Amino acid sequence: MARLKTAILISGRGSNMQALVDAAADPDYPAEIVRVVANVPGAGGLDRAAAAGIATTVIDHRNFDGRAAFEDALHAELTEAGVEMICLAGFMRLLTAAFVERWLDRMINIHPSLLPSFKGLQTHERVLAEGVRFTGCTVHFVRPAMDAGPIIVQAAVPVLPGDDADSLSARVLTAEHRCYPHALRLVAAGQTSIVDEIVTVAGAAGPTGIAVNPDDGVS
Ligand code: GRF
């Protein structure tokens, strides 16, 4: 079985990257992580990737004159590495429509909310300020608009009395680490198709969701 050659783009600690790398350590997993790229020198995830034997590259956006030049370098690096699929995992640069088009339906992202609610930053603070009872995370195909695109997998996570942004973030992150490898598996195995910007999963009766029990973690 040919495994889908996948790059992970990070800007920070890389815990979602680690979850993907761990999943792909299984030779039966349908994606292979061939490269980790960071736009931030010293991003914590770089050491974690190197420790797992994954080739890493730093492309510091501050060294480029504008987004297009940065993205051209990124695209060249990915193409040279034979990358077929991109996973954004805490990658904190907005990508231009031109780059998104180049990787259309071959680039996915994880966001720590139940999209389309709570796009953008400070997600958990805003969730708490609104008093919603459930939040979660979403893995979706990337489209030019920020945190938008066909949804592959979501997990619902309860907001509990007494939560602060840190405790909620930690609970959601546990779900993220389950959702992302699951979503990449579905895509890499060819089980997803997009019709009218809705993802259907072969063999699934409906949308793919993961429910989270606050007492026993992700189920
Ligand atoms: C995650 O919460 C992810 O959903 C968001 O940024 C955070 C990255 O964390 N996009 P990590 O670097 O994967 O640990």
Side-chain angles (χ1 to χ4, degrees), residues 13-16 90 110-112 173 176:
R13 67 190 164 186
S15 71
N16 279 288
I110 188 158
H111 182 76
L173 197 63
E176 292 184 49

Side-chain angles (χ1 to χ4, degrees), residues 9-19 45 48 88-92 109-113 120-121 123-124 136-138 147 169 172-173 176-177 180:
L9 272 50
I10 63 169
S11 301
R13 67 190 164 186
S15 71
N16 279 288
M17 176 214 74
Q18 185 79 59
R48 303 174 84 160
L88 304 179
F91 184 69
M92 303 304 283
N109 180 47
I110 188 158
H111 182 76
S113 78
L121 299 175
T123 313
H124 306 300
C137 61
T138 303
D147 296 329
S169 164
V172 171
L173 197 63
E176 292 184 49
H177 297 162
Y180 216 168

